[in-house]
């Protein structure tokens, strides 16, 4: 298993937080945020997505259906144990966050860091084109896009082509269904991102039906949860979640 790639869980109070890592990555990239939620008293689940955290060869046999089923099950488990749940994701974890938000309007808040939404954006489309043209089963790695010196993401050193190409249809469906998101959203967007175009977060912000707050990260690259702005993300995410959980509780008391 990759270094620090194990899933993370924490028992807490009545509010839950589901935290989701990205494509070819591992829970290591989201552990600081998961820990911030745990320290704030949340019950937290940070699952390891199927095929991740071990070898690219393991991931080559997995698809979106496997990853989405994992987060759906994790959400259902948290929803049973907690009064309200917030969901937070990085990159493809942001795609999964949006997907859950479209399916579960009762999610208290959605938080995404450089979410992957737009399958036709230039950077992502170039990767897809490279996958289609590839002679073999793997491409060069896309992980560890971090500005902070000395920090490395625990991610694969290669991209499996088959699951990469499988992402196109789910992303198109998520992009088309953005208006179905009614939960409040907090989007963290890096000014310099070499993996996901800012058009993804822009599409989310412009087309969702819920309240949206966008925070630009001037100093961080794609894996901002491990980068210069990590503490800003941790504090902002917890504050946003708490605010909307409080609002939901007050609304419930008004209508009880």
């Amino acid at each position: 298993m990759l270094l620090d790639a194990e899933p993370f869980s924490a028992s807490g109070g009545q509010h839950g937080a589901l935290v989701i890592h990205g494509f070819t990555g591992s829970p290591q990239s989201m552990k600081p945020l998961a820990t911030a939620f745990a320290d704030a008293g949340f019950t937290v689940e940070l699952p390891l997505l199927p095929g991740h955290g071990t070898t690219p060869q393991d991931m080559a046999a997995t698809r979106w259906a496997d990853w989405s089923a994992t987060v759906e099950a994790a959400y259902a488990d948290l929803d049973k144990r907690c009064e309200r749940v917030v969901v937070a994701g990085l990159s493809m974890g942001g795609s999964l966050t949006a997907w859950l938000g479209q399916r579960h309007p009762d999610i208290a808040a959605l938080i995404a860091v450089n979410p992957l939404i737009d399958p036709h954006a230039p950077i992502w489309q170039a990767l897809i084109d490279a996958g289609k043209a590839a002679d073999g089963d793997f491409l060069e790695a896309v992980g560890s896009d971090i500005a902070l010196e000395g920090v490395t993401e625990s991610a694969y050193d290669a991209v499996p082509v088959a699951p990469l190409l499988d992402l196109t249809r789910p992303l198109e469906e998520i992009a088309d269904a953005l208006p179905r998101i009614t939960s409040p959203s907090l989007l963290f967007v890096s000014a310099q991102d070499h993996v996901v175009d800012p058009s993804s977060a822009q599409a989310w912000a412009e087309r969702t039906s819920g309240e949206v707050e966008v925070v630009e990260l001037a100093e961080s690259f794609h894996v901002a949860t491990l980068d210069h702005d990590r503490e800003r993300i941790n504090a902002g995410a917890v504050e946003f979640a708490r605010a909307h959980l409080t609002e939901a509780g007050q609304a419930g008391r008004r209508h009880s």
Side-chain angles (χ1 to χ4, degrees), residues 155-172:
Y156 288 149
D157 57 4
V159 175
V161 171
L164 169 70
L165 298 181
D166 181 68
L167 268 175
T168 297
R169 183 179 294 276
L171 290 177
E172 289 176 344

Side-chain angles (χ1 to χ4, degrees), residues 125-167:
Q125 190 57 57
L127 186 61
I128 293 295
D129 290 343
K132 291 178 179 178
D135 293 331
D137 296 329
F138 299 93
L139 297 175
E140 292 184 5
V142 296
S144 211
D145 184 34
I146 300 172
L148 184 60
E149 291 187 10
V151 177
T152 303
E153 181 186 12
S154 186
Y156 288 149
D157 57 4
V159 175
V161 171
L164 169 70
L165 298 181
D166 181 68
L167 268 175

Side-chain angles (χ1 to χ4, degrees), residues 23-200:
F23 186 74
T24 74
S26 74
Q28 178 253 4
S29 63
M30 295 298 279
K31 184 122 177 239
L33 180 55
T35 301
F37 276 119
D39 290 344
F42 286 73
T43 296
V44 182
E45 292 295 336
L46 168 54
L48 174 64
L49 298 179
H52 291 72
T54 53
T55 67
Q57 289 74 22
D58 286 341
M59 185 179 173
T62 63
R63 300 291 186 272
W64 171 268
D66 302 302
W67 313 324
S68 59
T70 295
V71 299
E72 178 68 41
Y75 172 76
D77 175 65
L78 269 178
D79 193 43
K80 288 179 183 177
R81 292 188 282 144
C82 302
E83 287 188 8
R84 298 297 304 282
V85 177
V86 302
V87 181
L90 165 69
S91 193
M92 188 189 72
S95 316
L96 289 160
T97 297
W99 181 79
L100 285 172
Q102 291 164 357
R103 295 165 61 85
H104 301 284
D106 54 334
I107 292 174
L110 304 171
I111 300 157
V113 182
N114 295 318
L116 172 60
I117 300 293
D118 183 0
H120 305 296
I123 297 175
W124 188 255
Q125 190 57 57
L127 186 61
I128 293 295
D129 290 343
K132 291 178 179 178
D135 293 331
D137 296 329
F138 299 93
L139 297 175
E140 292 184 5
V142 296
S144 211
D145 184 34
I146 300 172
L148 184 60
E149 291 187 10
V151 177
T152 303
E153 181 186 12
S154 186
Y156 288 149
D157 57 4
V159 175
V161 171
L164 169 70
L165 298 181
D166 181 68
L167 268 175
T168 297
R169 183 179 294 276
L171 290 177
E172 289 176 344
E173 293 174 351
I174 291 168
D176 289 343
L178 283 171
R180 291 175 55 189
I181 294 178
T182 57
S183 302
S185 302
L186 173 62
L187 307 179
F188 291 98
V189 185
S190 294
Q192 295 185 68
D193 189 327
H194 307 96
V195 179
V196 172
D197 299 84
S199 60
S200 279

